[in-house]
Amino acid sequence: MKAKTISYVALFTALTAIGAFIKIPIPYIPFTLQILAVYLAGALLGPRLGLLSQLCYVLIGLIGVPVFAEGGGFGYIFKPTFGYLLGYILGAYVNGWLINRFNLSTIRSIFFANLASLLTVYLFGCIWLYGAMKWVVETPLSIYQTIFYGFLLPAPGDLLLCVLCAIIIQQVRPRIARFTNIKELKHPWVKPTL
């Protein structure tokens, strides 16, 4: 892996960590800006490197660096919100794969890729929330409560970020593709520079 590619991955790992500290506390699941970095990593780095940036973020947190919204360390896997972090890894991949596979270039199509990524994150998050509350915290939530606190309550803000990121990605992605050597970002709709 080239030094330039490593620096791109590290940049999005850092952006995810920064997003963890910009949060609005709501019951069970704090609303953070981490999902911005997930959308951007997948779209701007491609599926594999986007996934790698989020995997690095999770591993750094698990070894004890306090980059998660509520600290860090291996014990974080027992927290009800850990499933969302796992969702970030696959969510970045889903976003990048959809954008690359279907050459998505309009704001609307990128929004739907972001939405698929968001639903992936929430799927992992809600499953983990339900299990952790039932077997670890031993304060079980019903399926309705899990969906309400784990999806319906935080989702409106993330949907707004879906739209915002679709606009950013649509404007920034073709420009970045011209200056990077990341093969996943090369598309017919990106005009080469001379």
Side-chain angles (χ1 to χ4, degrees), residues 84-191:
Y84 294 91
L85 300 177
L86 295 177
Y88 292 165
I89 298 168
L90 190 57
Y93 184 87
V94 166
N95 190 292
W97 184 83
L98 287 171
I99 289 174
N100 284 339
R101 174 67 178 86
F102 299 105
N103 292 330
L104 305 181
S105 59
T106 65
I107 291 173
R108 180 179 175 180
S109 62
I110 294 169
F111 166 78
F112 284 114
N114 289 347
L115 184 61
S117 177
L118 180 65
L119 293 175
T120 302
V121 170
Y122 275 110
L123 176 65
F124 275 81
C126 286
I127 290 170
W128 197 278
L129 175 65
Y130 181 81
M133 293 303 289
K134 184 172 184 177
W135 292 298
V136 178
V137 181
E138 296 182 349
T139 309
L141 296 175
S142 68
I143 292 176
Y144 170 77
Q145 288 174 315
T146 302
I147 292 170
F148 180 76
Y149 290 114
F151 177 67
L152 296 176
L153 197 59
D158 287 338
L159 285 172
L160 182 63
L161 295 178
C162 262
V163 175
L164 176 65
C165 273
I167 296 166
I168 293 169
I169 291 165
Q170 195 263 345
Q171 292 296 312
V172 171
R173 192 166 189 274
R175 291 171 176 83
I176 286 180
R178 291 184 183 125
F179 300 104
T180 65
N181 293 325
I182 300 173
K183 292 178 183 175
E184 293 175 335
L185 299 183
K186 305 300 182 190
H187 291 289
W189 55 271
V190 176
K191 295 177 184 175

Side-chain angles (χ1 to χ4, degrees), residues 29-111:
I29 311 299
F31 173 76
T32 69
L33 294 184
Q34 291 170 292
I35 198 75
L36 282 171
V38 175
Y39 300 144
L40 293 172
L44 301 180
L45 296 181
R48 290 181 297 117
L49 294 179
L51 178 146
L52 183 59
S53 71
Q54 299 309 301
L55 179 61
C56 288
Y57 168 70
V58 172
L59 292 177
I60 287 169
L62 288 178
I63 63 170
V65 181
V67 293
F68 298 148
E70 297 172 357
F74 187 75
Y76 211 88
I77 64 170
F78 300 109
K79 288 194 171 277
T81 56
F82 185 70
Y84 294 91
L85 300 177
L86 295 177
Y88 292 165
I89 298 168
L90 190 57
Y93 184 87
V94 166
N95 190 292
W97 184 83
L98 287 171
I99 289 174
N100 284 339
R101 174 67 178 86
F102 299 105
N103 292 330
L104 305 181
S105 59
T106 65
I107 291 173
R108 180 179 175 180
S109 62
I110 294 169
F111 166 78

